[in-house]
Amino acid sequence: MCGIAGWVRHEGGPMTEEPGPAEAMAHTMACRGPDGHGTWTSGPATLIHTRLAVIDVAGGAQPMAAPPVGAPDDPAHAVVLTYNGEIYNFVELRAELTSRGHRFTTRSDTEVVLRAYLEWGEACVERLEGMFALAVWDPRRRSLLLARDRFGVKPLSYASTAHGLVFGSEPKTLLAHPAVTPAVDLDGLRVLFSMARAPGESVYRDIRDLPPGHTLSYGSDGRTVLRRYFQLEARPHQDDLGTTIGTVRELLEHSVSRELVADVPLSVLLSGGLDSSAVAALAARARKAAGDPPIRTTTITYSGYSDDFKADLVRSAPDAPYARAVADHIGADHLEIELSTADLTDPAARRDVLRAQDVPAPFGDMDTSTYRAFAGVSRHSKVALTGESADEIFGGYSWVHIPDLADEPRFPWVAFEQWHPGTRDGLGQGLLSPAFAAKLDMPGHYAERYAQAMAEIPRLPGESAEARRAREICHLHLTHWLPRLLERNDRLSMISGLEVRVPFCDHRLVQYAYDIPWELKVFDGREKSLLRAAVADLLPEQVLERPKAPFPVSQDATYTKALHAEFAEVLADPAAPVRPLLDLDKARAVVGPEGGAGAQDWLHRMNIEMALQVNTWMVGHGGSVEP
């Protein structure tokens, strides 16, 4: 896993000081590529790369250049690639390209991507199976191609400037270029507080995310073309229950086995829930069949969490005992990472989390503990598999199973937020002043985004209303909820130099699951019953019967106390930039002697987490924020 960046100038545009911007942009991506970096410049184009070496550690350095087949080996005419990701079908593509006359000098998937472009041009992305963000400079066409994988596992942003186009893996990378300004307007603040960001939206006014499943072509004449190369299709599902269960198992087995390929140590992040346990069990089986050592699994827990655990609305039991049961069952080399309250309240760790994600988020200790967990895993592994995205395609979230929420004409998770007492005003929005909340108009923003999202959902003629709504919710999850989770995982893992892989994001598995009727997905009346049946022979009974549980949160009262103390300091500071955005009376009541109604609840706590992050972000932002 790596970081990519660069820019292209208009023909005849002013020269950028070299190598200053390139060095500054590479510096922002140092954590994404601790094993090396490189810069390539020719004519109007500059490409930058920082590398975390995973496949062909010795031979996969970038940017990588190659002449077209049959052309002289002239650097001035070479096509150049900077690429971040893993292509899981690179062995098959390499064989096909070799048969077409290409000669390879490395074992890396990077060279396969480069030569795939030389063979098929922009259409090569449709043949790539995996997670990727890439940029190719083609001197023959005087054009830059940007591309992103089908579901947005790997990030890629860009900005059009007065004199060209700048791109990079993260907004902070673009902001290191002098032509990109860190301005945030009211629309950007709506994106900041939104839990349903539309593909391509960015908090920063001048930056766009390349939407998943898209390419962008930029000519040095200044012309830009955005093209979608992948979208889910609505297809009739013809298989019966038994065949459907078997196909899900087959597709998941195939995806997990391909994602085990690495030339560096690898592990599985194991929560003890159904999704990650299925991945761990299939990984263990595949490694055993190949004669490899047992799979390494890692679980995060908090000091005293299992002993003092209290069930809440969505968590009925701690993760660690279930994870241990799975690890024992599959014969894994298991490690528990135990975090203390001091780990979660450490100011340096909290700053690292905000810096990694570029913009504030309300998830607080969940983000900090995820970051700490990834850092712990990176001490023994460079690659980790997760169970992310199974909930989106198999219907795991609680709001899908509450008819009053699922049937509302809005994003169901937003309906869930406003149903729960802790988030009636929206996740992380409970302390905003009425005046600022009115300017944001998040209900209006959500309504507009929901209408746009619904217009893009493919329909299947003759579907029942229930089947159509199930398809709509699945599509909304995959396009407006999952990308945020994938971006979060990428940012919080890459800051520790760890590559995270997501087997459930295999596009064939997603497309197949997308078309499975709702009555088959929940054939026995439980969430994800289809997935449970597909892996029933692999897992202990208590894990198969365990209900869905989200990522754990700290239940230590001293964490909430520390949070309140930090917030009280901010509220007492007349210069704190977040103060004009807050309802100060409500905010002071939360940190007062009584603590406010429900102040210990983790969802209420997110209001404070968001306010603190926004304050820290505004202090160090270095640009304009226009509320």
Side-chain angles (χ1 to χ4, degrees):
M1 211 45 51
C2 310
I4 67 172
W7 64 85
V8 174
R9 300 188 309 275
H10 294 165
E11 294 288 4
M15 292 292 290
T16 306
E17 294 82 10
E18 313 282 2
E23 290 180 350
M25 294 174 80
H27 179 72
T28 68
M29 303 188 297
C31 62
R32 298 187 72 92
D35 298 327
H37 68 276
T39 300
W40 177 94
T41 299
S42 180
T46 295
L47 271 61
I48 305 160
H49 190 265
T50 62
R51 187 184 186 208
L52 175 67
V54 171
I55 294 176
D56 193 4
V57 174
Q62 299 185 50
M64 184 176 285
V69 173
D73 192 1
D74 181 355
H77 298 93
V79 174
V80 186
L81 167 73
T82 182
Y83 146 72
N84 167 30
E86 301 293 344
I87 304 303
Y88 302 127
N89 65 329
F90 80 98
V91 173
E92 298 94 323
L93 287 175
R94 181 188 177 107
E96 182 177 357
L97 290 164
T98 299
S99 71
R100 291 171 175 264
H102 292 266
R103 297 294 175 260
F104 290 82
T105 60
T106 74
R107 295 186 300 106
S108 69
D109 60 339
T110 303
E111 188 175 7
V112 171
V113 174
L114 178 55
R115 295 193 176 277
Y117 174 84
L118 291 172
E119 181 65 30
W120 297 299
E122 181 180 336
C124 72
V125 296
E126 298 165 30
R127 296 171 176 262
L128 303 180
E129 297 175 5
M131 53 182 188
F132 59 86
L134 61 86
V136 179
W137 169 250
D138 190 336
R140 301 168 298 176
R141 299 178 174 86
R142 306 292 287 174
S143 69
L144 177 78
L145 174 68
L146 303 180
R148 195 172 177 204
D149 65 67
R150 293 166 177 82
F151 298 108
V153 182
K154 293 291 101 187
L156 185 58
S157 301
Y158 66 95
S160 296
T161 72
H163 302 297
L165 183 132
V166 183
F167 68 91
S169 290
E170 301 176 0
K172 69 173 67 67
T173 303
L174 277 75
L175 294 173
H177 191 283
V180 184
T181 57
V184 178
D185 56 20
L186 191 59
D187 283 339
L189 290 173
R190 293 187 179 103
V191 176
L192 176 66
F193 284 98
S194 174
M195 289 296 120
R197 296 178 185 175
E201 280 190 323
S202 169
V203 171
Y204 295 97
R205 186 186 63 201
D206 300 328
I207 295 176
R208 297 286 294 171
D209 290 341
L210 183 64
H214 280 70
T215 64
L216 184 146
S217 298
Y218 180 83
S220 57
D221 60 358
R223 289 192 300 173
T224 301
V225 178
L226 184 68
R227 180 180 76 89
R228 172 181 277 174
Y229 71 88
F230 173 81
Q231 58 185 327
L232 290 166
E233 299 176 7
R235 304 170 181 171
H237 185 79
Q238 307 291 355
D239 296 340
D240 61 17
L241 178 59
T243 303
T244 300
I245 292 170
T247 303
V248 167
R249 170 64 170 266
E250 180 183 343
L251 289 169
L252 185 56
E253 279 182 339
H254 179 66
S255 181
V256 170
S257 64
R258 291 202 306 177
E259 299 196 21
L260 291 173
V261 175
D263 294 336
V264 294
L266 176 147
S267 62
V268 175
L269 295 169
L270 177 62
S271 70
L274 177 65
D275 311 336
S276 63
S277 298
V279 170
L282 289 170
R285 175 174 286 200
R287 285 176 69 97
K288 184 176 181 180
D292 295 330
I295 191 72
R296 165 66 66 85
T297 55
T298 307
T299 298
I300 179 176
T301 187
Y302 303 122
S303 301
Y305 189 70
S306 294
D307 296 334
D308 303 321
F309 179 83
K310 296 180 182 65
D312 62 24
L313 181 69
V314 292
R315 298 173 183 85
S316 58
D319 286 346
Y322 290 95
R324 284 194 293 269
V326 173
D328 290 344
H329 190 78
I330 65 176
D333 177 11
H334 188 58
L335 173 68
E336 288 186 5
I337 296 176
E338 184 177 288
L339 301 177
S340 67
T341 298
D343 292 323
L344 301 178
T345 57
D346 176 22
R350 291 167 66 85
R351 284 193 300 271
D352 284 347
V353 167
L354 178 55
R355 179 168 55 87
Q357 299 191 95
D358 280 306
V359 294
F363 303 112
D365 61 307
M366 285 193 285
D367 283 348
T368 308
S369 57
T370 299
Y371 159 61
R372 291 285 199 188
F374 286 152
V377 172
S378 71
R379 297 188 187 104
H380 59 72
S381 300
K382 275 194 170 184
V383 176
L385 276 62
T386 76
E388 201 75 78
S389 84
D391 286 316
E392 286 74 14
I393 61 176
F394 290 109
Y397 291 114
S398 58
W399 49 72
V400 179
H401 302 272
I402 303 174
D404 289 346
L405 300 181
D407 293 340
E408 286 193 29
R410 52 179 171 166
F411 297 107
W413 57 93
V414 174
F416 179 81
E417 285 177 17
Q418 295 168 9
W419 168 74
H420 190 279
T423 52
R424 287 274 161 81
D425 299 312
L427 208 63
Q429 299 172 47
L431 298 178
L432 299 182
S433 73
F436 179 53
K439 286 181 71 175
L440 279 180
D441 185 21
M442 292 307 296
H445 178 76
Y446 279 137
E448 181 181 330
R449 292 296 176 270
Y450 181 76
Q452 292 171 351
M454 291 291 287
E456 295 183 356
I457 298 175
R459 313 291 175 181
L460 190 66
E463 276 188 318
S464 67
E466 182 184 40
R468 183 171 63 252
R469 186 54 181 165
R471 184 185 297 279
E472 289 170 352
I473 290 175
C474 184
H475 198 279
L476 293 172
H477 275 136
L478 290 168
T479 56
H480 286 70
W481 175 256
L482 179 63
R484 182 182 187 124
L485 303 184
L486 295 175
E487 180 182 3
R488 172 181 181 267
N489 276 356
D490 176 86
R491 300 296 195 84
L492 296 178
S493 60
M494 289 309 304
I495 196 172
S496 301
L498 178 71
E499 172 181 303
V500 170
R501 298 179 179 177
V502 279
F504 281 103
C505 275
D506 179 274
H507 70 279
R508 284 159 303 193
L509 174 60
V510 175
Q511 178 65 67
Y512 185 79
Y514 178 64
D515 289 317
I516 297 172
W518 182 245
E519 59 267 22
L520 291 187
K521 287 186 179 180
V522 292
F523 69 88
D524 64 0
R526 295 181 300 173
E527 94 278 353
K528 293 190 289 193
S529 52
L530 187 63
L531 180 58
R532 292 178 200 277
V535 297
D537 61 316
L538 299 176
L539 301 174
E541 189 67 20
Q542 67 263 43
V543 173
L544 286 170
E545 296 299 322
R546 186 186 184 192
K548 160 72 181 173
F551 195 86
V553 294
S554 174
Q555 296 186 341
D556 186 352
T558 60
Y559 176 79
T560 304
K561 262 189 179 173
L563 204 64
H564 284 192
E566 184 181 351
F567 193 39
E569 290 182 10
V570 169
L571 295 175
D573 179 5
V578 76
R579 278 172 52 104
L581 309 183
L582 301 178
D583 182 329
L584 294 179
D585 290 338
K586 187 185 290 187
R588 291 187 182 110
V590 168
V591 296
E594 299 302 319
Q600 296 294 329
D601 179 85
W602 63 283
L603 287 170
H604 281 91
R605 203 166 69 196
M606 287 184 178
N607 295 322
I608 300 177
E609 303 273 18
M610 188 64 169
L612 288 172
Q613 283 218 13
V614 169
N615 191 70
T616 303
W617 175 66
M618 294 178 76
V619 168
H621 177 54
S624 63
V625 178
E626 304 169 11

